[in-house]
Amino acid sequence: MNAMILIALIVGGTALLSWPLGRYMKWAMDPDVSQGLAAKCEQLFRFIGGRFVGEQQNPKQYLVSMLVFNVIMFVVSFGVMALQQHLPLNPDGQTAVEGSLIFNTAASFTCNTNLQHYSGESTFSYFTQLCALMWLQFVSAATGIAALTAMARALAGRKNMGNFVLDLQRGVFLVLLPLAIMVATLMVLGGMPMTLAGAAHATTLEGIEQTIARGPVAAFLTIKQLGTNGGGFFGPNCTHPFENPTFWTNALAMISIILIPMACVWMFGRIIGRMRHAAIVFGVMLAFLLVKSAGAVWFEQAPTQAFAGLPIEQNVGNLEGKELRFGAPEGSGPLWSVLTTSTSNGSVGAMHDSLNPLTGLTPMIGMWLNATFGGVGVGMINMFIYIVLAVFVAGMMVGRTPEYLSRRIEAREVKLAVIALFAHAFFILGGTAIFAATPWGQDTLNNTGAHGFSEMLYEFSSASANNGSGFEGLGDNTVPWNVATGIVMLLARFIPIILPLAIAGSLAAKNTTARSSGTLGVEDGTFGVMLVATIVFIGALTFFPVAALGPIAEHLQFMK
Amino acid sequence: MKSLIASIRLVAATMLVCVAGYTALILAVGQIVTPDTANGSLLMDQDGKIIGSRLIAQRFEQPRYFWPRPSAVDYDGAGAGGSNKSPTSSALTERARQVVVQHGASADRPLPAELAAASGGGLDPHISEHAARYQAERVAKARGVPQSQVEALIKRQAFAPGGFFTPDRLVNVLELNLALDSPDPKQ
């Protein structure tokens, strides 16, 4: 009961907080008037970025700027990781890292995924964690916010999308940094480590030597949550007591995971000047989030099946892979798993591999849809794809002109939208099929049968959704996994940014049509229902077969 | 080309502010305001030698101590992790069987479930008050003290991690064991 109140408070409270933040983000990302504080910031950003910042970019130029900066992000982080053994701030003497793992990690953090085929505490120095990974957690998240801002500007009918270098600075310095400073301070006060000292060496009460890894955790953790990055400082992410020491840090982390993705919807609404439309989209996203949360918490109440028949109490839910300090772990663990995969965060508060089979399906659903809030900026961009299709399908069904924000949706827009959706499905289904059929996948499983299949399916879902969580039993630090998921992450990051921005640019170039009785509204409940139906049908038709082979098969086989 | 130069300037600015500035600021808050937890909540003995961390479980096997939850990584504080086994897997059944034997659980006295389930990081420092009471008899016997004294100690140490939201109370295993060892167990 108390757990349900907590869920309502966290999701509901964050939804309320997202409203003022969305307003602020509109001010920060797309200021109306160039005077006062906004103008001062602008001056500073022009100083930092140089004269280039003053240029207005069309969609193509904006995308090129974004890609150039992202290539540099990749190169810089790759360099830092490759040279870490020669760089400072390495108190625990971390050594050189294998090439394919560096490629995977650089790709993963550049594209805001934070899929990790390593354990931070035994692989990377503090220098790498801060200058490569934490840095990318700021700038990759800001890339997403900038992309959404640009898309919204185009949909608002502006011919120019703004300037990427300016938008990125706004995202980093005005949105992410102030929030990160506030939340990280609270995390430190909540008991999280923040030190540059190397591991502590203890002799336990029973006389055993124990090495206790620590580090600048609070700073890293905070931006990983706020920016829907999700990469853990330590291997087991937020189940590690240092990365999540108390009930309160756990609650604050969950709020941080969904806060900016929620606020992005309001920012989008404000830029296009259609708040009622934004409210409908927000409502649709929230409905998916709540249904998945309720489902996951419900399925996790079944006790650990492996303990059936042993003299073990069966009156609590499944506790394998969960932490007691979060309170009602069989509730907070699955809630976190839904929040982290509804957004493209990917941090974990319980081990997803050890969730009950149908609970484990809910995070996968989150990643397959990838638009029920989604990653910072990009979640709303993904939702735009579904909106385009919903408008188109609804228009076809009732014989009305498919229009979005007074502009006609035609063959070109629909084609691009379908390619974006198809790419996501292709990466997940194709990747899983190849690895399930070859030793690349088969030899790396930690579980047998249907659950083993789920491990591979989850890994590709996570890579393609730019999520980063995993069924971590999978022995994924192999060259085939590193290369394959690295490529999938990069393609699945940039295709769903480039295509929607192209759609938005193509819409912006069209003449507006006057509203008539034949116009299909996007600001009422009917549209909301149509959007839900589009998401459910596309998602179910694409992914039900693999769900049946993995989690559903396991549930039917084992759960009583 | 212009884009490239602007990007490089961006790298420099964001590195300086978000990596150096932000890290230094949070580091200062931690080291000045909460140095104890910022350095890992370490516990020392009288000679200043590190015993462990309040937040990190350590292995206990002697009957005179309370035992923590199982750990898939054998309480490795430098390589944490979970079992990542499916809750339907026979490997978990096998592990649970061993734990049941260690604790001497029986059908009349079933084992609290968390004592059979490994935590996500393998370092969960807590067990429930209920699971501590379950072990009180063994600990009291091994120490030759009345069980009521051990149970009183558990009661004193138990806390609700989230106040109103979490009615189930927990105890920190290492702190409880330290209290057992202290010359005046009332403290």
Side-chain angles (χ1 to χ4, degrees):
Chain A
M1 185 57 218
N2 304 49
M4 295 316 274
I5 296 175
L6 182 72
I7 292 173
L9 275 179
I10 286 181
V11 177
T14 314
L16 289 179
L17 276 178
S18 72
W19 176 263
L21 181 63
R23 199 188 172 102
Y24 169 76
M25 281 173 68
K26 159 71 174 83
W27 175 85
M29 295 303 298
D30 190 44
D32 285 327
V33 278
S34 282
Q35 56 183 3
L37 188 58
K40 290 240 170 65
C41 294
E42 199 107 342
Q43 263 177 3
L44 178 67
F45 298 154
R46 278 166 197 249
F47 171 74
I48 293 172
R51 253 178 310 170
F52 180 73
V53 170
E55 289 177 17
Q56 284 289 315
Q57 298 176 312
N58 65 24
K60 201 175 153 205
Q61 292 164 326
Y62 197 96
L63 283 170
V64 169
S65 268
M66 185 190 84
L67 290 174
V68 166
F69 184 60
N70 274 261
V71 168
I72 295 182
M73 281 157 58
F74 181 91
V75 171
V76 169
S77 59
F78 195 104
V80 169
M81 281 185 263
L83 297 172
Q84 74 162 3
Q85 66 275 25
H86 308 296
L87 293 168
L89 272 184
N90 187 6
D92 296 322
Q94 307 291 5
T95 49
V97 182
E98 185 265 327
S100 75
L101 180 61
I102 298 181
F103 164 72
N104 187 276
T105 309
S108 163
F109 280 73
T110 297
C111 54
N112 200 245
T113 307
N114 292 206
L115 189 76
Q116 297 171 293
H117 288 176
Y118 63 91
S119 271
E121 69 264 45
S122 56
T123 310
F124 287 131
S125 70
Y126 294 166
F127 190 87
T128 306
Q129 297 256 35
L130 295 173
C131 293
L133 306 184
M134 190 179 81
W135 173 65
L136 288 178
Q137 292 180 333
F138 274 99
V139 289
S140 70
T143 300
I145 300 175
L148 174 63
T149 309
M151 188 185 86
R153 287 189 188 119
L155 292 176
R158 299 185 220 166
K159 297 283 175 271
N160 288 313
M161 286 194 155
N163 182 290
F164 174 77
V165 175
L166 180 58
D167 284 343
L168 187 108
Q169 293 184 72
R170 288 169 170 159
V172 169
F173 297 131
L174 297 181
V175 178
L176 295 170
L177 188 65
L179 277 173
I181 290 172
M182 272 188 273
V183 176
T185 305
L186 290 175
M187 290 293 184
V188 165
L189 298 181
M192 202 172 284
M194 186 67 203
T195 175
L196 293 179
H201 299 277
T203 308
T204 70
L205 280 188
E206 289 195 353
I208 305 159
E209 299 298 318
Q210 188 184 35
T211 305
I212 300 173
R214 45 187 179 164
V217 185
F220 190 94
L221 168 118
T222 302
I223 186 59
K224 113 182 173 192
Q225 304 297 27
L226 288 169
T228 58
N229 294 288
F233 191 89
F234 299 104
N237 213 294
C238 279
T239 64
H240 193 294
F242 279 166
E243 213 159 321
N244 203 351
T246 68
F247 173 87
W248 302 106
T249 56
N250 191 57
L252 183 59
M254 287 202 269
I255 291 169
S256 308
I257 288 174
I258 48 177
L259 180 60
I260 298 183
M262 282 182 165
C264 279
V265 181
W266 299 128
M267 180 189 82
F268 173 74
R270 284 183 189 280
I271 296 178
I272 62 170
R274 300 284 275 270
M275 288 310 278
R276 281 180 58 102
H277 174 53
I280 295 289
V281 172
F282 192 93
V284 167
M285 291 175 165
L286 190 63
F288 274 97
L289 183 77
L290 289 175
V291 168
K292 279 184 293 178
S293 302
V297 172
W298 169 260
F299 292 130
E300 206 57 8
Q301 301 309 310
T304 316
Q305 186 62 36
F307 299 165
L310 295 175
I312 295 173
E313 290 177 358
Q314 303 281 328
N315 56 354
V316 291
N318 172 27
L319 291 176
E320 181 69 22
K322 299 195 185 62
E323 310 294 302
L324 297 183
R325 62 191 173 280
F326 306 153
E330 69 275 32
S332 68
L335 173 65
W336 181 304
S337 77
V338 168
L339 298 182
T340 194
T341 50
S342 288
T343 65
S344 81
N345 188 292
S347 63
V348 298
M351 285 300 157
H352 290 191
D353 216 344
S354 298
L355 293 171
N356 282 335
L358 290 185
T359 321
L361 175 60
T362 46
M364 289 196 227
I365 292 173
M367 297 186 293
W368 293 337
L369 304 180
N370 207 22
T372 51
F373 292 114
V376 289
V378 292
M380 186 60 227
I381 294 179
N382 284 339
M383 182 52 100
F384 171 66
I385 299 279
Y386 286 106
I387 292 174
V388 168
L389 290 178
V391 166
F392 181 72
V393 173
M396 294 291 108
M397 275 164 56
V398 296
R400 289 183 172 187
T401 325
E403 278 173 23
Y404 183 57
L405 307 178
S406 309
R407 285 181 171 78
R408 280 202 179 163
I409 305 241
E410 290 169 303
R412 177 177 146 82
E413 289 80 29
V414 175
K415 248 185 242 164
L416 293 176
V418 169
I419 292 172
L421 274 185
F422 177 75
H424 184 54
F426 176 77
F427 294 142
I428 296 174
L429 302 179
T432 308
I434 293 171
F435 274 64
T438 56
W440 289 350
Q442 290 161 1
D443 292 352
T444 57
L445 303 179
N446 183 43
N447 286 278
T448 52
H451 197 87
F453 179 78
S454 295
E455 287 182 339
M456 292 180 282
L457 174 62
Y458 196 105
E459 186 73 4
F460 274 108
S461 302
S462 178
S464 184
N466 282 180
N467 183 274
S469 61
F471 271 18
E472 286 301 333
L474 187 71
D476 45 22
N477 185 16
T478 62
V479 173
W481 273 118
N482 285 339
V483 172
T485 54
I487 292 169
V488 165
M489 284 187 284
L490 289 171
L491 293 174
R493 167 72 166 176
F494 295 107
I495 290 174
I497 289 181
I498 293 170
L499 295 181
L501 258 66
I503 298 174
S506 140
L507 285 177
K510 294 184 186 190
N511 294 324
T512 55
T513 52
R515 267 190 174 205
S516 70
S517 61
T519 308
L520 191 78
V522 291
E523 302 187 329
D524 53 23
T526 318
F527 172 72
V529 172
M530 192 62 214
L531 187 55
V532 169
T534 307
I535 296 170
V536 169
F537 285 132
I538 292 175
L541 286 174
T542 315
F543 294 109
F544 184 77
V546 276
L549 284 175
I552 297 175
E554 190 190 6
H555 178 84
L556 295 177
Q557 191 179 358
F558 292 104
M559 301 298 279
K560 293 185 183 85
Chain B
M1 190 63 209
K2 278 190 296 185
S3 187
L4 190 68
I5 293 168
S7 293
I8 289 167
R9 295 171 73 138
L10 264 189
V11 171
T14 48
M15 277 273 187
L16 195 69
V17 177
C18 298
V19 178
Y22 165 71
T23 307
L25 181 68
I26 305 305
L27 196 62
V29 173
Q31 294 298 329
I32 293 166
V33 185
T34 55
D36 171 46
T37 51
N39 289 309
S41 306
L42 300 177
L43 295 168
M44 324 273 181
D45 62 11
Q46 293 95 326
D47 310 329
K49 272 177 38 193
I50 302 170
I51 297 169
S53 163
R54 267 196 303 280
L55 289 175
I56 303 293
Q58 48 184 249
R59 189 181 344 147
F60 284 105
E61 289 175 328
Q62 299 171 5
R64 56 199 295 272
Y65 286 122
F66 288 91
W67 299 338
R69 300 175 61 191
S71 167
V73 293
D74 195 17
Y75 310 99
D76 182 356
S83 73
N84 288 311
K85 290 292 181 193
S86 162
T88 65
S89 102
S90 56
L92 282 196
T93 311
E94 199 39 54
R95 192 193 68 203
R97 227 175 241 135
Q98 291 171 10
V99 179
V100 161
V101 170
Q102 277 165 12
H103 279 275
S106 61
D108 312 333
R109 208 170 153 275
L111 189 71
E114 88 239 27
L115 290 179
S119 65
L123 300 173
D124 190 350
H126 300 111
I127 55 176
S128 67
E129 185 181 10
H130 170 61
R133 283 180 186 282
Y134 185 88
Q135 304 183 43
E137 187 189 343
R138 181 196 75 231
V139 172
K141 216 178 255 172
R143 288 181 175 260
V145 297
Q147 191 173 335
S148 60
Q149 188 184 322
V150 174
E151 284 179 345
L153 189 67
I154 294 172
K155 197 171 175 199
R156 264 206 303 285
Q157 295 250 336
F159 69 102
F164 160 78
F165 297 111
T166 54
D168 298 336
R169 287 150 60 89
L170 304 180
V171 291
N172 183 301
V173 177
L174 178 56
E175 287 186 311
L176 184 61
N177 285 334
L178 276 169
L180 280 174
D181 276 357
S182 93
D184 177 10
K186 289 234 159 31
Q187 274 176 358

